[in-house]
Amino acid sequence: MAQDQAWSQSAKSWVSFAARDYQAALMLGRCGVQLDPNDGAVLDLMGAVAPFFGEIEEAVDQFEAAKQFDDPLNAPSLGYATAALSAFGREHEARAKLAELERAWPEAPNEIMLKSIHSDDAHADEVISELVLLGWTSTSPQASSNP
């Protein structure tokens, strides 16, 4: 519960995120980043929270900063970063990020993970649509069984 520790603030951000209290998640995540802007895990978690407030550019910035510390991005984070780059028209960078996603997480059920995170499937579908535009295909068993 240490309020002066980046990781505890980041962990509380994730708990708020899981409880779908996105405003608290955003506030706590930003606090964690301010406390330790050199902790890749804190940056990655903030990148995962930011899109829920339309802070797509902030999410990409946090993911890129996390990667500079050699902290690997998780599969949904790479998906968000890829979709955000695509949405900003940065297709070359988006395709490189998609290749990284497919190389690092070839079997990750990204579609299922994204839909389980978002309170509204339409928001997850926006991310998924950007990935599909780049050539991504779902590896999720549920997704492939849908017509």
Side-chain angles (χ1 to χ4, degrees), residues 10-40:
S10 186
K12 287 191 279 187
S13 172
W14 197 245
V15 169
S16 295
F17 181 77
R20 300 185 191 274
D21 184 353
Y22 299 129
Q23 188 169 6
L26 185 65
M27 181 193 70
L28 290 163
R30 285 179 173 159
C31 180
V33 170
Q34 287 177 350
L35 288 168
D36 190 354
N38 298 319
D39 185 324

Side-chain angles (χ1 to χ4, degrees), residues 27-63:
M27 181 193 70
L28 290 163
R30 285 179 173 159
C31 180
V33 170
Q34 287 177 350
L35 288 168
D36 190 354
N38 298 319
D39 185 324
V42 168
L43 297 170
D44 185 45
L45 284 173
M46 182 59 215
V49 169
F52 290 87
F53 268 90
E55 303 292 343
I56 302 298
E57 193 164 350
E58 181 177 2
V60 176
D61 290 344
Q62 299 302 344
F63 291 142

Side-chain angles (χ1 to χ4, degrees), residues 4-147:
D4 63 342
Q5 297 297 314
W7 182 243
S8 66
Q9 295 303 300
S10 186
K12 287 191 279 187
S13 172
W14 197 245
V15 169
S16 295
F17 181 77
R20 300 185 191 274
D21 184 353
Y22 299 129
Q23 188 169 6
L26 185 65
M27 181 193 70
L28 290 163
R30 285 179 173 159
C31 180
V33 170
Q34 287 177 350
L35 288 168
D36 190 354
N38 298 319
D39 185 324
V42 168
L43 297 170
D44 185 45
L45 284 173
M46 182 59 215
V49 169
F52 290 87
F53 268 90
E55 303 292 343
I56 302 298
E57 193 164 350
E58 181 177 2
V60 176
D61 290 344
Q62 299 302 344
F63 291 142
E64 292 305 311
K67 189 161 180 158
Q68 290 178 8
F69 296 107
D70 292 328
D71 287 332
L73 294 177
N74 58 55
S77 293
L78 271 172
Y80 283 129
T82 303
L85 289 167
S86 178
F88 284 129
R90 295 164 56 182
E91 187 176 338
H92 179 72
E93 293 168 274
R95 289 191 183 284
K97 195 65 69 182
L98 179 63
E100 183 180 342
L101 173 66
E102 291 173 335
R103 182 177 57 255
W105 301 97
E107 302 297 320
N110 281 305
E111 189 167 348
I112 291 170
M113 287 188 285
L114 290 169
K115 287 191 177 197
S116 70
I117 293 170
H118 286 271
S119 60
D120 183 343
D121 279 357
H123 296 150
D125 289 338
E126 290 178 38
V127 174
I128 294 164
S129 292
E130 288 293 334
L131 297 175
V132 169
L133 284 173
L134 294 169
W136 177 79
T137 56
S138 175
T139 59
S140 302
Q142 275 183 318
S144 61
S145 66
N146 291 338

